[in-house]
Amino acid sequence: MTTLLETDAVLKRGLGELVLADPIMAKLAADGVTPHLRKRPPGFEGLAWIVVGQQVSTASAAAIWNRLRQILEPPRPDVFLRLSDEDLRAAGLSAGKVRTLRALATEIVEGSLSLDELRNRPAEEAHGLLTRVKGIGPWTADVYLLFCLGHPDAFPSGDLAVQEAARLAYGLEARPDARTLTALAERWRPWRGVAAKMLWTYYRVIKSREGAPG
C-alpha cells in the first residue's frame, strides 16, 4: 500500500503524482487549489464522529457531538453500550444513528471488527469490513478511511460535493453518480484520496466565489 496520508510531505507527493497523471488536476493545482491534511482521530471515536455528522449541517454535527462527548467519557465502545437510548436521543442522535453506533460498538467489543487492523489493509478490503456493519454505508467507510486512517486511495464517490466539483472541473453535462465518478477516478490510483481532497477544496473555492459580492 502507498504510504499513509499522515504528513504534509506525503500529501504533496500524492498531489505531484496527480498533476503528472491528469491535466485537469494540474490545472486546478496551477490555479491555487491546495488541499490540506485534515485528520481526525482513528478508532471508535473518529468513526462515531463521522456517523454523528451524516446528513446534518456542520454546526448541528458539532453541537450533537459536544453533547454526546459529555456523556461518553472515555469515548470507547464499551462505554457507549452502557448509555441508554434516552440519553443518546437527548444528546441529539436520531434513532437510526443510535442503532448504527450500537451495532458498531457491539462488533468492536465482541471482536468481530478491529478498527486498528484496518490501517494495514488495502482500501477496498478495509471498506468491505466497515460496510458489513449494519448502518455503515460506503460514504461513512470511505470518509473514515481517508480522514481517520489516512488511506491515500480511499475515495468517497457518493459524496455530493465531490461529484459536483468533478462536474465543474471536467466540464460534464450532469453531476456524475457514484458509479460514473468511480470510473473517472481510476486515473487517480493510488492517490484517489488526494484527488477527493482536491475536489473538496475546489468545491469550497467555487462556493466561496458564488457567495462573493459583485
Side-chain angles (χ1 to χ4, degrees):
M1 184 178 66
T2 308
T3 305
L4 294 175
L5 288 172
E6 295 181 314
T7 65
D8 288 327
V10 175
L11 180 64
K12 185 177 180 180
R13 173 186 160 197
L15 179 57
E17 294 288 341
L18 288 176
V19 165
L20 291 175
D22 187 337
I24 299 298
M25 286 289 168
K27 183 179 184 305
L28 293 181
D31 289 342
V33 177
T34 306
H36 299 287
L37 203 56
R38 293 180 59 204
K39 289 201 67 181
R40 298 288 302 188
F44 179 75
E45 180 180 3
L47 189 47
W49 171 79
I50 294 169
V51 171
V52 167
Q54 292 173 351
Q55 298 178 327
V56 297
S57 69
T58 302
S60 294
I64 295 170
W65 179 250
N66 287 337
R67 290 195 295 269
L68 177 60
R69 284 292 284 112
Q70 290 176 10
I71 59 175
L72 182 62
E73 182 57 45
R76 298 196 317 253
D78 58 314
V79 177
F80 183 87
L81 290 175
R82 292 199 291 267
L83 299 174
S84 69
D85 285 357
E86 290 75 16
D87 287 339
L88 295 172
R89 294 297 298 275
L93 289 176
S94 67
K97 290 180 180 179
V98 170
R99 287 193 296 271
T100 296
L101 290 173
R102 285 205 184 282
L104 173 64
T106 298
E107 294 231 8
I108 294 172
V109 169
E110 293 181 349
S112 302
L113 175 67
S114 173
L115 294 181
D116 292 337
E117 291 182 2
L118 297 181
R119 178 185 297 270
N120 301 316
R121 296 179 181 269
E124 285 85 354
E125 185 179 345
H127 181 279
L129 291 171
L130 283 172
T131 54
R132 285 195 327 211
V133 179
K134 189 173 183 179
I136 300 293
W139 181 89
T140 302
D142 285 320
V143 169
Y144 177 77
L145 292 174
L146 181 56
F147 286 98
C148 295
L149 296 188
H151 270 282
D153 204 38
F155 187 70
S157 59
D159 188 89
L160 296 181
V162 172
Q163 292 174 355
E164 180 64 10
R167 181 188 73 81
L168 295 170
Y170 288 83
L172 305 177
E173 291 185 2
R175 189 175 70 201
D177 59 15
R179 179 174 297 186
T180 302
L181 190 54
T182 297
L184 176 67
E186 282 299 311
R187 71 188 70 184
W188 303 325
R189 286 183 181 273
W191 298 101
R192 292 182 302 169
V194 179
K197 288 177 176 287
M198 282 287 286
L199 292 172
W200 268 313
T201 304
Y202 179 58
Y203 181 80
R204 289 194 294 270
V205 168
I206 292 298
K207 288 301 176 183
S208 176
R209 290 174 183 169
E210 290 177 352

